[in-house]
Amino acid sequence: MAGEKMSSLDKDTVLLLNKGKRGLFHLAFGRTAVIIVLLALQVALLFFGFFRLGKYIYYGGSMLLSLVVALMVVNKPGNPAGKITWILLIMLFPVFAALFYLYVETELGHRLAKRRLEEIAAQTASFAPPRPEMLQRLRERDPGFAGLAAYMERSGGWSAYENSNAAYLPIGEAALEAILAQLEGAESFIFLEYFIVEEGYMWGRILSVLERKALEGVEVRVMYDGTCAVGRLPYQYPKKLEKLGIRCKMYAPLRPLVSTHYNNRDHRKILVVDGRAAFTGGINLADEYINRKTLHGHWKDTAVMVTGEAVRSFTLMFLQMWNVSAWEDEDYARYLDASVPAEGAGWVIPYGDSPFHRENMGEMVYMDILNRATEYVHIMTPYLIIDHEMATALTFAAKRGVDVKLIVPSQPDKRAVFAVTKSYYRGLIEGGVQIYEYTPGFIHAKSFVSDGDTAVVGSINLDYRSLYLHFECAALFYGAPVVGAVEADFQQTLGKCQRMTVESCRHDRLGRRLLGWLLRPLAPLM
């Protein structure tokens, strides 16, 4: 008994130490370090200006710097809400905010990553050529959706596929079993790209299959976001997997180097097996996603398994991200020619989004669904931190008579983000949008379903980070049976939710309402 108590205490101690390490790493090598340095610089310049240059020269110089940078912000293409946030910061902290903005716009690491991704996209463009015959068949079926498909092909290189099928997985536990079944059948290669990987029951079961498959000669690659190196996995974890015969890397690992590149996380969830099956959705590889660990009540998440020719696009997404930080030659044809047709009705468009693209494809797809809907749009999202355009699209659809419903969590994973999320409730509700909170716990699913014919399942939240800052992915379905499964799951989940009203917004906690009010102007930077 004493040994068990000591083991529990040791585990808690290690957990606290890991959390502390994560905080120190983010403080030293993330945006926090830049902010601290620039604030210190502002204080230093303030004293220097007062005692050496005189207050009028100092104020004049800082005002001129602020004016020049503010004009740069206004004239730069981009989201207006983000511009307002920057201008507000420049007004409050003239020197600090102006210098920080200049740093963000000129930082070398960000520009190098963007250039490398553009090079890889050019190298792989021939594997996703335009498909005019496919678009023509879509135009004959639905000119509106065909326009969206043409935009996605032209702006992102993401093709629509017919010879594909999909299975909807409405909970993490079901997704794990489907993943394990596909991994067991792997014969050629297995690619995994996830935002979070954490040692535990879920990852342990997957890793045991990966290790065995690697011994059988199957090529296995694993990639996860670099933030996992702090608190969730040892920093040297890739070397551990390499010893098992598994190629592994972190995307943008945290290092003693300040860079805005760290702000653009790899939030994708992709698993590809032999080019014949691919998974995406909201589910990461950690125990809370299958309710083996309780963090915020019951964890509701979803995924989708795609088979057939559409798998090629998920393979392409993985290889592009894998090679952003690699400079060796890649035999793209070996993997991208491996897709196998599958019988299936309708169309599927797997697509990725990148903070380096001028087009915010994740947001454009969501807004197109809202603008074309005639009956309903039903949405599940863990966060609701949106710009004016998205809020307008949601309320305009509702005012046109479209049944617009959103399901969000009742138990937050991030209190500040939840406070900002709730700050949007009243305006949307007054505009006709219905908002429901999932009473059993936390919704992490990211899905849109509309009019019985269109659905999206992927990693893209309704927040600024997903829509503007992160690498994301999803699958867009039209006229496919999986659309009905997404809507059926929404209706089942709705039965476990409580509807929010203007009255409930008024009676929300005063502290939370105040926090949301204070943080709302900073939403684009959260």
Side-chain angles (χ1 to χ4, degrees), residues 292-518:
R292 298 282 297 196
K293 179 170 64 176
T294 301
L295 294 180
H296 315 288
H298 182 265
W299 193 289
K300 164 68 177 174
D301 216 330
T302 63
V304 66
M305 181 180 75
V306 176
T307 55
E309 290 185 352
V311 175
R312 180 185 294 118
S313 289
F314 285 112
T315 308
L316 177 60
M317 286 182 228
F318 175 87
L319 291 171
Q320 288 177 343
M321 288 301 293
W322 178 272
N323 287 288
V324 165
S325 59
W327 298 95
E328 71 259 21
D329 293 331
E330 181 75 79
D331 184 6
Y332 292 107
R334 175 188 171 191
Y335 310 103
L336 296 174
D337 290 339
S339 59
V340 180
E343 292 186 7
W347 287 264
V348 57
I349 309 178
Y351 62 101
D353 202 358
S354 164
F356 301 148
H357 291 163
R358 180 160 295 192
E359 300 283 347
N360 302 110
M361 188 161 293
E363 184 175 42
M364 292 299 101
V365 171
Y366 284 166
M367 291 183 68
D368 185 84
I369 292 173
L370 287 164
N371 291 333
R372 287 190 302 106
T374 58
E375 298 177 18
Y376 70 85
V377 179
H378 294 157
I379 303 164
M380 287 194 281
T381 179
Y383 314 115
L384 184 62
I385 303 178
I386 53 178
D387 57 17
H388 177 72
E389 289 81 357
M390 181 60 72
T392 300
L394 287 163
T395 54
F396 181 59
K399 290 172 182 177
R400 289 190 293 108
V402 177
D403 177 39
V404 181
K405 290 187 175 79
L406 289 86
I407 297 178
V408 296
S410 68
Q411 298 186 30
D413 65 335
K414 304 175 183 70
R415 295 188 183 278
V417 172
F418 190 57
V420 178
T421 288
K422 290 182 80 72
S423 75
Y424 286 88
Y425 282 12
R426 183 166 179 173
L428 292 174
I429 292 169
E430 290 177 340
V433 177
Q434 300 175 50
I435 300 177
Y436 294 80
E437 288 188 350
Y438 181 65
T439 54
F442 186 66
I443 282 276
H444 194 257
K446 308 97 167 43
S447 65
F448 268 56
V449 59
S450 173
D451 290 357
D453 57 20
T454 306
V456 174
V457 179
S459 69
I460 308 170
N461 299 316
L462 271 181
D463 69 357
Y464 282 96
R465 290 213 148 267
S466 274
L467 298 176
Y468 292 97
L469 297 177
H470 287 168
F471 293 94
E472 303 283 0
C473 66
L476 170 63
F477 301 96
Y478 178 77
V482 72
V483 175
V486 178
E487 171 62 11
D489 181 48
F490 181 91
Q491 293 297 334
Q492 185 177 11
T493 306
L494 194 65
K496 303 174 184 177
C497 297
Q498 179 180 1
R499 184 171 177 176
M500 298 293 101
T501 64
V502 171
E503 192 65 22
S504 65
C505 293
R506 289 197 190 103
H507 289 88
D508 194 23
R509 298 178 199 166
L510 178 60
R512 184 157 57 198
R513 281 186 287 149
L514 180 60
L515 182 61
W517 183 77
L518 290 171

